[in-house]
Amino acid sequence: MTHLPPPAEELRLLDTELRQLDARRALLLARRAWLITALRPPVAPPPPPRPVRRPETTAPRVQNVLLVLGGALLTIAAIAFTLVSWGRIGIAGRALVLGAVTLAALGSPVLLLRHRLRSTAEAVAGLGLALTVLDVYALHEVALPDTNGLGYAAIASALLAALWTAYGLALGGTRRSTGEAAAPARLTLRLPLPTALASAQLPLILWAAAADAGAPVMTGALLVTAALDTAVALRVPVRSVCLVPVVGAYGLGGWGSFAAGWLSWTATGPSAVARAAALLLFAAAIALAAAWRLPDTNVATWVASAGGLLTVAALGCVPRSSLPGEWTVPGYLVCAVAVLAAVRTRLPEPMRRGLALAAVSVQAVAVVWALPPVAVALLGPVARVGRIWTGAPSTAREAVTTDGVPWPPYAATAPLVLVVVATVLAVAVRGTEWRPRATIGASALVWAAALVLPAALDIPYWAGMSAQGLTIVAALAYVARSAEPRPVLFLPALVSSVSLACLSLAAEGTTLGVLAALTVLFAAVSGRSRLAPVAALTYATALACAVGASLGWQSPYIALLVLLVPVVAALLAARLAGSPARVPIEVTGAVAGLLAVGLAVPDQPLLALVLALCAVIAAGTAVREDRRPAGYAATALFVLAAWVRLACWGVGSVEAYTLPVTVPALLVGAFGRRKDPLASSWTAYGAGLSVTLVPSLLTAWIDPDWPRPLLLGVAALAVTLVGARHRLRAPLVLGGGVLALDALHELAPYLVQMAGALPRWVPPALAGLVLLALGATYEQRIRDARRVREVLGRMR
């Protein structure tokens, strides 16, 4: 009998066998997939698409250029005909010619618009508008020669504005194309209405000038015109139309506001002050009304700030006329604080921000007005730079008021202004974000007020220097001990050190000792602030100059000693990779190099050496991977060194200086365009071509001989042909422009003779007609191309 296991055991065995079969099947499937992948041939990735160079200009732009040039030339021809050939025909002929041409120019746009040639219609309409101005001028010269010119111009500008407005409205100048996509939109003209608005800027101003009105009336005319412009700009939605009143509102409003401010500043009597205050309030009302209606919040904020400033100027000029001069700024400051109270009202947010900005601006100006005593105390010793080592003064006030610099007479009111502004900062700024900054600002104002104390007490010179030195040491010690040093903690020490360094220029030993001590002090804390190494290098540069002067060296030789500072800066920057002080150190080294170049200017051979050494330093900096752009500076410095050496050898040809720069620049540009075919030709070739073509053109214009203009013309022609062949804008524009100017210079005598034989309006008229015909042809072709594209687009 066959032994059979129990059912449970048999079930376990079957499950084990099935699991083994599944595992084996999965292994075989994975192996099969790998073999299929290995047997397939490798698929090469598709090559990247090659960039296609496109023309740098478009047909519509060419069309617009042709039409604008044609209209301009026809306008010039009409002006020449009116001014030059006017007296050669009779009155009837004059009226017939100008009237027929004007009517034709004004009526032609109707036919052109029907044929959907709007650009050509715009050009012809512009010619017609210009002809109406000539008609007005001709009417004055023939029929009204004895009338007042300014009065006639005022009336004429008003009538022309009305006529052009009617003409623009008749041709649908205010029609908007939005919302008419379903049906073909009617083409309209955009030029007449802006031109009419431009003419409307003149009547009031010309009337005031014709009436010989005073400055208040002229200012009122400016402000009334600005108010009308503001109303039109806020009500007209079409952008092309409202651009002119916007410009007029800003321009005439600014001009009128400035004039009103000048009247308030120069007013001497109560009536004059009242008139000026009324004009300023009118200007402020215009600005605030515009800020109320403007949809753009940023623009509304700035306009409201202008209104706030005008309000402060209007309110502050009244007490200024009755108080002493030293209370003028405090009076304006009080008005600014009163305007700041309007921020708590329910005005729109942009207006409140603008008024706050105006009040802050007035307070800033007040602080600047109160700073001269502080500036005299800190910067007064700078005057000793021209009186080095002439002897120490006796007192601190004498040290800061050298060379006739007086102690400010309003020093008593300056602390009051500083305290008021500090109080506003401490009280008004209550937000958690701006509170620390306001506290720092208030503390700085208090510190500025305290800075005038040593000079006010008139303590001895050496005591003042010692106190200032101890202040610097204490400030640097605080910076060195602080856990997180900030630049604001370092600035007092830096500012005081500048003043101390200037004070030390009174004696030679004092200068060397103070500069050496400052260099060591700031170098000791260079790891705590990014400004500390900059200050150390700056004082090291000054110490190098002082040592050279103490040794009796001339300035070109002192430059070689100063070059040690850029070397140290370059080496130090190389070791401070990733440090925030790296860039300031490099900038300081570059400034020291510029100083060395300036010192070496009197000696040209030594200047060439200094430039070459600076180029070596820049080239050494460019060796680092992250400072490759320094190679451009090195190249420029080497080129300058070569130029200076050529000048020392007496080489006078311009091309000897420019061609060695042009050839490498063009090679680099060609290499750059091979790597990036989409790069602009201006970037690749503009600089290289300009370096030679422009100086050679300027030299050719004053060269009486013929070889240089001939060679320049041949070179410019070659550049133009290359640009035309490859459709490159930079060679085409630069070569063509230089070629045209060179040819004009050579053909000028013959052109003068030809111009004497023909009427001067004929050539521009013919050129204008040709350009208008070309422009119309361009527009016709563009329209046909668009029509074909629309037909093809409807195909399926």
Side-chain angles (χ1 to χ4, degrees), residues 360-511:
V360 170
S361 302
V362 174
Q363 293 180 50
V365 173
V367 170
V368 172
W369 174 85
L371 286 181
V374 182
V376 171
L378 285 177
L379 304 179
V382 176
R384 293 196 169 274
V385 174
R387 300 172 52 191
I388 299 176
W389 302 340
T390 56
S394 58
T395 62
R397 181 179 297 179
E398 183 182 352
V400 300
T401 56
T402 55
D403 291 339
V405 178
W407 186 251
Y410 51 81
T413 57
L416 175 62
V417 171
L418 295 174
V419 169
V420 169
V421 177
T423 304
V424 171
L425 285 175
V427 174
V429 181
R430 300 179 181 177
T432 57
E433 180 181 358
W434 291 93
R435 184 64 179 178
R437 303 176 185 178
T439 303
I440 293 174
S443 302
L445 292 176
V446 174
W447 171 74
L451 282 176
V452 300
L453 184 62
L457 295 178
D458 204 14
I459 60 178
Y461 169 73
W462 296 104
M465 286 195 60
S466 301
Q468 198 165 358
L470 292 176
T471 303
I472 297 172
V473 172
L476 293 179
Y478 180 75
V479 170
R481 291 178 176 271
S482 60
E484 296 181 357
R486 295 180 295 177
V488 69
L489 302 176
F490 183 78
L491 287 178
L494 182 61
V495 173
S496 300
S497 66
V498 172
S499 178
L500 180 62
C502 294
L503 285 174
S504 67
L505 296 177
E508 179 178 351
T510 306
T511 302

Side-chain angles (χ1 to χ4, degrees), residues 56 673 679-688 690 728-734:
E56 295 185 355
R673 276 184 65 85
S680 173
S681 61
W682 287 107
T683 304
Y685 307 118
S690 301
L728 299 176
R729 184 181 299 173
L732 184 62
V733 173
L734 291 175

Side-chain angles (χ1 to χ4, degrees), residues 8 58 283 298 302 425 437 444 486 500 553 596 656 675 715 719 722 779:
T58 60
N298 293 328
W302 289 106
L425 285 175
R437 303 176 185 178
R486 295 180 295 177
L500 180 62
W553 292 0
K675 294 182 63 177
V719 172
V722 171
E779 188 172 7

Side-chain angles (χ1 to χ4, degrees), residues 75-87 94-95 98-99 102 128-150 152-157 159-160 163-164:
T75 303
I76 294 173
I79 294 174
F81 171 78
T82 304
L83 297 178
V84 177
S85 301
W86 190 250
R94 302 172 190 174
L98 275 182
T102 303
L129 298 179
L131 289 175
T132 57
V133 178
L134 295 178
D135 292 337
V136 171
Y137 168 76
L139 179 63
H140 178 269
E141 292 296 323
V142 174
L144 303 171
D146 297 330
T147 58
N148 188 351
L150 291 176
Y152 179 80
I155 298 174
S157 59
L159 293 178
L160 286 176
L163 175 62
W164 293 344

Side-chain angles (χ1 to χ4, degrees), residues 435-779:
R435 184 64 179 178
R437 303 176 185 178
T439 303
I440 293 174
S443 302
L445 292 176
V446 174
W447 171 74
L451 282 176
V452 300
L453 184 62
L457 295 178
D458 204 14
I459 60 178
Y461 169 73
W462 296 104
M465 286 195 60
S466 301
Q468 198 165 358
L470 292 176
T471 303
I472 297 172
V473 172
L476 293 179
Y478 180 75
V479 170
R481 291 178 176 271
S482 60
E484 296 181 357
R486 295 180 295 177
V488 69
L489 302 176
F490 183 78
L491 287 178
L494 182 61
V495 173
S496 300
S497 66
V498 172
S499 178
L500 180 62
C502 294
L503 285 174
S504 67
L505 296 177
E508 179 178 351
T510 306
T511 302
L512 297 176
V514 169
L515 291 178
L518 291 176
T519 303
V520 173
L521 285 174
F522 285 102
V525 296
S526 59
R528 306 295 295 171
S529 174
R530 69 178 65 183
L531 296 178
V534 174
L537 291 174
T538 302
Y539 288 125
T541 304
L543 180 61
C545 295
V547 170
S550 179
L551 295 176
W553 292 0
Q554 296 181 354
S555 61
Y557 296 96
I558 297 177
L560 298 176
L561 188 61
V562 173
L563 281 179
L564 294 176
V565 177
V567 174
V568 173
L571 296 176
L572 186 61
R575 299 189 61 181
L576 295 177
S579 174
R582 186 179 185 181
V583 174
I585 289 174
E586 292 175 341
V587 172
T588 306
V591 173
L594 291 176
L595 176 61
V597 171
L599 292 174
V601 167
D603 192 341
Q604 291 189 356
L606 197 57
L607 175 60
L609 175 61
V610 170
L611 288 172
L613 293 177
C614 291
V616 171
I617 298 173
T621 303
V623 172
R624 302 201 303 269
E625 185 67 26
D626 57 342
R627 289 296 183 265
R628 296 299 189 197
Y632 297 107
T635 304
L637 290 171
F638 276 125
V639 170
L640 288 176
W643 285 356
V644 172
R645 179 52 62 183
L646 289 174
C648 293
W649 290 339
V651 177
S653 178
V654 176
E655 288 74 15
Y657 296 86
T658 58
L659 286 177
V661 181
T662 296
V663 175
L666 293 179
L667 293 177
V668 172
F671 179 74
R673 276 184 65 85
R674 290 190 61 184
K675 294 182 63 177
D676 185 10
L678 299 180
S680 173
S681 61
W682 287 107
T683 304
Y685 307 118
L689 293 174
S690 301
V691 167
T692 293
L693 291 179
V694 175
S696 298
L697 177 63
L698 296 177
T699 306
W701 272 69
I702 60 176
D703 192 350
D705 298 329
W706 60 269
R708 184 188 297 274
L710 177 61
L711 295 176
L712 178 62
V714 172
L717 177 61
V719 172
T720 304
L721 294 177
V722 171
R725 172 66 179 82
H726 298 281
R727 302 185 72 180
L728 299 176
R729 184 181 299 173
L732 184 62
V733 173
L734 291 175
V738 172
L739 181 61
L741 293 176
D742 187 56
L744 178 64
H745 175 263
E746 294 301 312
L747 298 177
Y750 306 101
L751 294 178
V752 171
Q753 295 178 1
M754 184 183 299
L758 294 176
R760 299 193 176 186
W761 57 269
V762 173
L766 294 176
L769 290 175
V770 171
L771 291 177
L772 278 179
L774 290 176
T777 305
Y778 247 97
E779 188 172 7

